[in-house]
């Protein structure tokens, strides 16, 4: 599995490095537009150069209404009409108006400043809840039903497709698909106040066999022994978080049933390991200011360790 | 040649006149249009002063918003910096966008219009000088108070687009958002006032003979600009009203859980917001067209093409608003419409660019300061235009939208399309108002730093956007390759800042205000009328215009104008005055007597600002006192106007006689009132659109409105109100008291109709807080209540004038305008009563 | 003088309102096509009448040529505006 999301050198840029059928045509379009734009800019610069420094003969050609008609009206009209036709056809084919056969269905709900993920079966019944991470099989289109719980957010995984807003009162649909296994970084693209900058997530694409294994592994973990579970219930954690198979049933925050197996913490911003987990519990406000989880300075070192050990074991 | 008004064009042949004009005439002009002294600078209304104040204030906002930009770039220089805390950063980026768009860009071009148009058109002043003064002071005081909110941490933090529900009470409980709505309120007032001023000024106060096809291209640009404001601003006026009402009174316009819709705000905002971009760009393009011709030393190539291109831009820009909403899940076909219009709107821009290049090609372009900025502007603007075509492509926009690619695009367009032209204009026109021109040597450095800095700052942002960096982020994570482009951007931003700083140094060294006498004059050799020798009264006489560049075609013109050989070489009535001409062919129609300096517009502005500010900080008593004082100040300033005239016809030169008082559709007041009513009509139309939009998007919340049959008495009362208002004008020749009685009766009938309408809604069980439907229905009633209240005020004002014998017969402008307003009020009320009962009545 | 552009605006808003409030896909398509035909007819009629009537005075001639330009802009815009109706299903 290639993971170039959190360590990439920045080239090629995500939008120009497509990884699925819903992003690839857009990348081609982007390249054509960038190249065409450069050529047209060069033409304008050349014309400006001629106007300023050119030979009298060339200047005379440029200096009249005919030149304006050709360069300013006829040429753009032709180019723009061509582009528009391409753009419209692409819009039609990439829109989630017609849902492909056999598409997997997932509902994703944007919240200030994280993501609820509800996996569904083909009839749209909820099968599994998770947060801040979306697992998909490669080669299968995924129909996302995008909603918002509070303010407007926008779902964007540049390598898999364009973005789509999540608007209160509406359900928007977006199709994505990955061609190859990997981890694809996503980000909220609509300003949603406070730590909008730190509202990320990841999409993990598995080969079909791996995806089946992953699905099978989605049962509540046994959990570690020790003080952890009791601390979780007694310290207020359970008021906001759910861990299936335990009395923790809170709904305000992310479901933590499988938090130990997540790639990231804090909605796509930290790698997940015991150190970051402990740091997040103790003072998430220092890491992601204004997020909805209070800092828990009151835990002693041992308590924090126990709680961390419990949570990282929730695979 | 055909005549438009019956004026015989052969009379133009009488000019230039031969006789020597007496010296006293000039002295009298100087006395009448004298310089203010001491505190009187606050009460000045002359465009030379207001224009400079206006431009200076707008430039101050540019500097302050620029400092905010530098703060942001410092914070983003490296990942996870903590120079600006998150909350502060969110306020700073919101203020940067808001201040640049609303408090700098729009006022700056409007200010340029106020300052330059009378000179270019050879009018003595704009037709409503006191309105300009009011608009300026409301903007300056309100804007500065609004800006100050950032120093106390109360600045808005919802982005300059203020999308609810983030900006609704639930998610923005503080008064930060209210400060935004307040700040915008001021700019709405001053923009509308300025638009009225400019439309009437351009169409009615041109020099005789300046047909539309001889008008300076900048005047065309300002005309299109002003008309666009009249069409576009009502949408944001309504939007801000609704959002404030939702916040204050819990009426759910944008709350999806109660039958409102957050997308309604986006439609209202962008129906204003995108034309806004062209509202900013067109005047700047107009300046470019003027400066290019002078820089090239040749007439503008493709004048007609450019005029048409600007008008076409004005039209098409109203079909592109939803290209800011391609990712909101609109039906694909609808996105296609907006994509197509967004493509189409780039054609006129291309025409203008190639016209400029063609003009440079036929001339011998000089690389002076305005020339450099003009050329730089072309390069930067074209780059921004090309990325604009990219994002007009819906699938590409799905990727680029709300990413740094857009940040790059919009700064290329706005800096290339507005800031650089404005700097060119500073260099070009400052000699008109300053004793010295700015330094050409320093200008090369200013331009170099700004041009290079601009590209270094914004070119890498394209890349950052494609890498996946979203907009409006206070920081970013390390390890995504974003470090380098962001660091480069920051360096570029500070280079740009350094360029502006150097410009300030130049201003400090060379700018010496001299709006009247003793300015540096026509250092670049322009050919239009603003380069005639002028003083505070503008030019000594008003020339007959026979071409587009009169100064180039007739080198002796300036001398003859100064000797008073043309129209109005003196003050004909001993008061401030200007010639009003016909809209198409600019034939002299009458002499407008203009109001002079007065403290009342200033007082009205201060109290208006006090009203809004006090409302924002919830000091209600102070707010109401201030509001009442504002109204009284306005009435007091009006009281002195529209007086019965002593001299009915005057000689405006060469024995050509025109009246000094005109009523009815050819008077400038009538025009202004019609424009105001168009603004009100557009606000109302957008409210009706809101109703239709919610009924189609939230049908589940719709309940049957009150029955149509019950509205009959309402409609009949409104019909009576229209009849009474019309009668008021007709009976004026008999008796002024009967006339104002009819006006009062009309206002009362409208008020009664509104009362009936309201009771039928409140009896229907639909309340304003219950659903989006109720909220909009009551918002329509509230709009109507505003109109009705103003109508009553106007009728009372006319009655007071009649009692004091200030209403001249048989025709009077105050009565005419009151009639127009009351007819409109009743028509709006009737339409609202009908439509609100029809929308969703079937379902 | 601005006839071409006014026609563009009428066409644009008709199409937008049809799509926003119009309901079913095929109905919208037919209606939008009819609208476009009618508007293009108006453009042609305006064009023909402008080509035929050449005013005598210089300003009238200027206005006429500006009007023809507006028709060119408007016509191009109207054609572009119609493309989504053909190329996109709702």
């Amino acid at each position: 599995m290639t993971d170039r999301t959190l360590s990439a050198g920045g080239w090629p840029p995500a939008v120009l490095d497509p990884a699925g059928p819903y992003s690839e045509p857009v990348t081609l379009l982007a390249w054509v537009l960038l190249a065409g734009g450069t050529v047209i800019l060069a033409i304008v610069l050349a014309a400006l150069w001629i106007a300023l420094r050119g030979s009298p003969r060339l200047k005379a050609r440029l200096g009249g209404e005919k030149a304006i008609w050709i360069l300013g009206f006829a040429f753009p009209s032709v180019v723009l009409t061509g582009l528009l036709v391409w753009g419209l056809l692409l819009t039609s084919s990439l829109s989630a108006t017609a849902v492909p056969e056999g598409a997997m269905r997932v509902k994703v709900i944007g919240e200030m400043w994280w993501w609820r993920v509800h996996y569904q079966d083909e009839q749209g019944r909820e099968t599994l809840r998770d947060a801040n991470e979306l697992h998909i099989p490669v080669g299968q289109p995924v129909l996302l039903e995008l909603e918002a719980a509070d303010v407007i957010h926008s779902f964007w995984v540049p390598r898999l497709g364009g973005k789509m807003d999540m608007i209160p009162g509406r359900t928007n649909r977006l199709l994505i698909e990955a061609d190859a296994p990997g981890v694809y970084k996503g980000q909220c693209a609509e300003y949603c106040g406070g730590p909008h900058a730190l509202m990320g997530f990841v999409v993990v694409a598995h080969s079909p066999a791996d995806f089946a294994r992953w699905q099978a592994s989605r049962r509540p973990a046994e959990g570690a022994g020790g003080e952890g579970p009791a601390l979780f219930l007694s310290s207020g954690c359970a008021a906001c978080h759910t861990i299936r198979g335990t009395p923790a049933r809170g709904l305000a925050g992310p479901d933590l049933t499988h938090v130990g197996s997540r790639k990231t913490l804090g909605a796509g911003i930290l790698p997940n390991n015991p150190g970051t987990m402990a740091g997040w519990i103790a003072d998430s406000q220092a890491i992601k200011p204004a997020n909805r989880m209070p800092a828990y300075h009151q835990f002693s070192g041992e308590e924090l360790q126990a709680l961390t050990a419990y949570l990282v074991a929730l695979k | 040649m055909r005549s438009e008004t019956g004026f015989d064009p052969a009379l133009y042949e009488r000019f230039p006149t031969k006789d020597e004009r007496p010296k006293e005439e000039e002295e009298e002009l100087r006395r009448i249009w004298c310089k203010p002294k001491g505190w009187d600078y606050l009460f000045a209304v002359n465009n030379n002063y207001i224009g400079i104040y206006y431009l200076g204030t707008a430039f101050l906002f540019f500097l302050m918003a620029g400092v905010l930009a530098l703060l942001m770039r410092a914070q983003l220089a490296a990942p996870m910096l903590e120079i600006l805390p998150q909350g502060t950063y969110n306020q700073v980026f919101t203020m940067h966008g808001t201040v640049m768009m609303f408090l700098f860009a729009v006022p700056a071009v409007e200010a340029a219009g106020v300052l330059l148009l009378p000179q270019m058109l050879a009018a003595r002043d704009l037709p409503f000088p006191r309105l300009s003064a009011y608009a300026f002071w409301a903007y300056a005081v309100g804007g500065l108070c609004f800006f100050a909110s950032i120093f106390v941490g109360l600045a808005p933090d919802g982005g300059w687009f203020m999308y609810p529900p983030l900006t609704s009470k639930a998610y923005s409980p503080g008064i930060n958002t209210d400060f935004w709505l307040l700040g915008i309120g001021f700019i709405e007032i001053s923009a509308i006032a300025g638009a009225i001023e400019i439309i009437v000024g351009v169409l009615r106060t041109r020099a005789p003979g300046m047909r539309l096809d001889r008008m300076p291209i900048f005047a065309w640009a300002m005309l299109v600009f002003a008309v666009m404001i009249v069409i576009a601003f009502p949408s944001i006026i309504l939007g801000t009203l609704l959002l404030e009402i939702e916040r204050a009174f819990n009426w759910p316009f944008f709350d999806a859980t109660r039958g409102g819709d957050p997308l309604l705000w986006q439609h209202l905002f962008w129906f204003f917001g995108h034309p806004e971009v062209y509202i900013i760009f067109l005047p700047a393009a107009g300046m470019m067209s003027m400066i290019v011709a002078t820089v090239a030393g040749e007439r503008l190539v493709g004048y007609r093409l450019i005029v048409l291109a600007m008008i076409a831009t004005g039209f098409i820009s109203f079909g592109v608003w939803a290209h800011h909403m391609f990712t909101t899940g609109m039906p694909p076909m609808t996105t296609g419409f907006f994509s197509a219009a967004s493509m189409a709107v780039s054609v006129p821009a291309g025409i203008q660019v190639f016209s400029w290049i063609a003009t440079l090609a036929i001339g011998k372009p000089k690389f002076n300061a305005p020339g450099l900025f003009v050329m730089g502007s072309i390069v930067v603007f074209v780059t921004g235009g090309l990325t604009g075509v990219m994002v007009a492509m819906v699938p590409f926009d799905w990727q680029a939208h709300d990413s740094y690619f857009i940040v790059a695009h919009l700064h290329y367009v706005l800096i290339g399309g507005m800031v650089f032209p404005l700097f060119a204009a500073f260099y070009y026109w400052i000699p008109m108002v300053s004793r010295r021109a700015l330094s050409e040597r320093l200008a090369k450095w200013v331009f170099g730093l700004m041009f290079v800095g601009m590209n270094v700052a914004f070119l890498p942002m394209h890349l950052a956007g494609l890498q996946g960096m979203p907009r409006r982020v206070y920081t970013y994570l390390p390890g995504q390759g974003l470090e380098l482009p962001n660091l480069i951007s920051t360096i570029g931003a500070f280079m740009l800042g350094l360029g502006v700083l150097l410009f300030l140094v130049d201003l400090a060294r060379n700018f010496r205000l001299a709006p009247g006498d003793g300015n540096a004059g026509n250092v670049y050799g322009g050919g239009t009328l603003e380069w005639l020798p002028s003083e505070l009264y503008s030019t000594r006489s008003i020339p007959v215009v026979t071409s587009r560049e009169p100064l180039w075609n007739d080198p002796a013109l300036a001398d003859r104008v100064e000797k008073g050989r043309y129209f109005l070489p003196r003050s004909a009535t001993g008061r401030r005055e200007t010639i009003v001409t016909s809209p198409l062919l600019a034939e002299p129609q009458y002499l407008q007597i203009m109001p002079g300096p007065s403290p009342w517009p200033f007082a009205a502005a201060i109290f208006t600002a006090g009203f809004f500010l006090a409302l924002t900080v919830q000091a209600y008593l102070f707010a109401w006192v201030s509001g009442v004082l504002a109204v009284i100040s306005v009435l007091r300033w009006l009281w002195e106007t529209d007086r019965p005239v002593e001299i009915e016809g005057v000689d405006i030169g060469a024995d050509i006689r025109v009246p000094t008082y005109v009523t009815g559709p050819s008077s400038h007041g009538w025009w202004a009132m019609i424009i105001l009513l168009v603004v009100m009509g557009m606000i109302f139309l957008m409210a009706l659109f809101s109703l239709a939009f919610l009924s189609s998007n939230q049908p589940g919340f719709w309940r049957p409105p009150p029955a149509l049959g019950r509205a009959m008495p309402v409609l009949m009362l409104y019909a009576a109100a229209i009849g009474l208002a019309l009668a008021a004008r007709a009976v004026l020749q008999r008796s002024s008291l009967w006339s104002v009685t009819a006006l009062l009766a009309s206002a009362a009938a409208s008020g009664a109709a509104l009362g009936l309408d309201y009771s039928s809604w409140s009896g229907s069980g639909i309340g304003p807080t219950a659903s989006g439907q109720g909220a909009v229905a009551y918002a329509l009633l509230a709009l109507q209540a505003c109109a009705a209240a103003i109508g009553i005020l106007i009728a009372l004002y006319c009655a007071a004038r009649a009692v004091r014998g200030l209403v001249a017969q048989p025709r009077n402008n105050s009565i005419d305008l009151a009639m127009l307003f009351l007819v409109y009020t009743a028509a709006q009320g009737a339409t609202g009563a009908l439509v609100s009962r029809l929308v969703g009545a079937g379902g | 003088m601005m006839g071409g552009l006014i026609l563009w605006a009428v066409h644009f808003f008709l199409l937008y309102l049809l799509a926003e409030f119009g309901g079913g896909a095929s109905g919208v398509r037919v209606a939008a096509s009819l609208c476009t035909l009618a508007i293009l007819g108006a453009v042609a009629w305006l064009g023909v009448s402008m080509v035929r009537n050449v005013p005598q005075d210089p300003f009238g001639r200027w206005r006429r040529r500006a009007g023809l330009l507006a028709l060119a802009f408007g016509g191009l815009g109207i054609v572009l505006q119609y493309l989504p109706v053909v190329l996109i299903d709702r």
Side-chain angles (χ1 to χ4, degrees), chain B residues 702-752:
Chain B
W702 222 256
R703 293 184 33 198
L708 196 58
R710 301 279 298 280
M712 277 319 284
V714 175
L715 297 180
M716 282 160 70
L717 271 170
Y718 278 130
I722 292 178
L724 283 163
L726 291 172
R729 186 165 188 251
V731 300
L732 179 60
Q733 44 189 338
R734 299 245 184 88
S735 148
S736 60
L737 288 179
W738 274 113
S739 176
V740 293
T741 311
L743 286 180
L744 284 168
S746 166
S750 275

Side-chain angles (χ1 to χ4, degrees), chain B residues 607-630:
Chain B
F607 290 127
T608 308
F611 171 70
F612 282 118
L613 283 168
L615 270 191
T616 307
V617 298
Q618 293 159 6
Y620 294 113
L621 179 69
F622 188 80
W624 291 117
V625 171
S626 202
V628 170
L629 287 173

Side-chain angles (χ1 to χ4, degrees), chain A residues 4-16 22-23 26-27 29-30 33-34 36-38 40-41 43-45 47-48 50-53 58-60 62-65 67-69 71-73 76-77 80 83-84 86-88 90-92 94-95 97 112 149-152 154 156-170 172 185 187-198 268-270 286-292, chain B residues 80 82 86 90-91 93-94 157-159 161 163-167 171 256-257 261-263 266 301-305 324-330 332 335-337 339-340 343-344 346-348 350-365 367 375 378-379 382-383 386 389-403 405 463 465-482 693 697-698:
Chain A
R4 52 170 296 260
T5 49
L6 299 173
S7 60
W11 191 266
V15 170
L16 300 180
Y22 294 98
S23 53
V26 183
T27 302
L29 178 66
L33 288 171
L34 284 169
T38 311
I40 293 173
L41 182 62
I43 293 174
V44 175
L45 287 176
L48 189 59
I50 290 170
L52 297 176
R53 291 283 159 87
L58 284 175
K59 283 180 73 160
L62 202 56
E65 293 210 3
I68 305 175
W69 273 106
L71 289 168
F73 189 82
S77 301
L80 291 176
L83 280 179
L84 182 62
W86 185 12
L88 293 174
L90 206 52
T91 306
S92 190
L94 295 179
S95 294
T97 40
M112 286 166 123
D150 35 44
V151 303
I152 304 176
S154 189
W156 186 29
V157 191
R159 295 190 64 207
L160 299 184
K163 60 181 72 66
M164 181 60 80
D165 293 352
M166 309 162 112
I167 302 171
R170 286 171 190 259
N172 280 336
K185 195 170 158 34
Q187 166 78 33
C188 175
E190 179 65 66
Y191 176 65
C192 51
H196 155 64
L198 300 178
I269 60 173
L270 291 173
I287 301 165
K288 183 169 170 175
N291 87 82
R292 292 277 160 85
Chain B
M80 300 306 278
E82 291 178 11
Q86 179 196 101
N90 290 345
Q91 293 187 10
F93 90 73
T94 301
D157 56 0
F161 44 91
Y163 281 0
L166 180 60
T167 53
Y171 301 102
T257 62
D261 192 341
L263 278 192
Q266 299 194 15
V301 179
Y303 173 91
R304 178 173 38 228
L305 277 166
H324 296 264
M325 301 164 62
F326 283 161
T327 65
T328 58
M330 277 194 300
T335 66
F337 294 147
S339 177
M343 300 290 230
S346 62
V347 174
I351 287 185
Q352 292 184 70
V353 166
F354 281 102
S355 295
W356 298 331
I357 292 178
T359 308
L360 291 173
I362 61 164
K364 294 189 183 56
F367 289 84
M375 293 160 204
I378 292 177
V379 175
V382 167
T383 311
L386 290 168
V389 171
M390 295 179 74
V391 294
M393 303 282 282
V394 178
F396 182 74
D397 187 66
W398 288 336
Q399 286 285 16
H401 181 71
D402 272 345
S403 79
F405 192 89
L463 177 65
L466 294 179
Q467 284 174 316
M469 181 166 169
R471 294 172 79 171
R472 295 149 190 160
V473 290
Y474 78 99
T475 191
Y476 51 94
L477 297 172
Q480 308 177 86
L482 293 175
F693 184 83
N697 282 282
Q698 294 279 35

Side-chain angles (χ1 to χ4, degrees), chain B residues 249-403:
Chain B
F249 305 115
N250 195 25
W251 295 15
F253 301 103
F254 309 116
D255 179 353
T257 62
R258 290 191 287 154
D261 192 341
L263 278 192
L264 173 61
W265 168 266
Q266 299 194 15
H267 280 288
L268 292 176
F269 184 84
W270 291 116
F271 186 78
F272 146 82
H274 205 86
E276 156 94 345
V277 176
Y278 295 96
I279 284 174
I280 292 166
F281 164 66
L282 283 180
M287 294 175 185
M288 288 278 286
S289 297
M290 302 286 289
I291 299 170
V292 157
T294 305
V295 165
E298 271 292 343
R299 70 184 170 80
L300 188 65
V301 179
Y303 173 91
R304 178 173 38 228
L305 277 166
I306 292 186
V307 169
L308 245 292
M310 293 196 300
I311 299 176
T313 307
F315 270 89
I316 300 173
S317 68
F318 284 98
V320 300
W321 79 88
H323 72 205
H324 296 264
M325 301 164 62
F326 283 161
T327 65
T328 58
M330 277 194 300
M333 193 196 284
T334 313
T335 66
F337 294 147
F338 292 101
S339 177
S342 306
M343 300 290 230
V345 82
S346 62
V347 174
I351 287 185
Q352 292 184 70
V353 166
F354 281 102
S355 295
W356 298 331
I357 292 178
T359 308
L360 291 173
I362 61 164
K364 294 189 183 56
K366 295 186 250 331
F367 289 84
N368 49 23
L372 286 174
F373 273 101
V374 158
M375 293 160 204
S377 161
I378 292 177
V379 175
V380 174
F381 177 69
V382 167
T383 311
L386 290 168
T387 52
V389 171
M390 295 179 74
V391 294
M393 303 282 282
V394 178
F396 182 74
D397 187 66
W398 288 336
Q399 286 285 16
H401 181 71
D402 272 345
S403 79

Side-chain angles (χ1 to χ4, degrees), chain B residues 636-659:
Chain B
R636 181 65 186 76
W637 118 36
L638 291 175
W639 191 257
E640 297 162 11
T641 59
D642 191 30
R643 290 301 174 93
V645 290
E646 303 92 35
I647 316 164
E648 288 191 348
V650 290
D651 173 11
I652 52 170
D655 287 329
I656 296 170
R657 293 188 77 79
V658 293

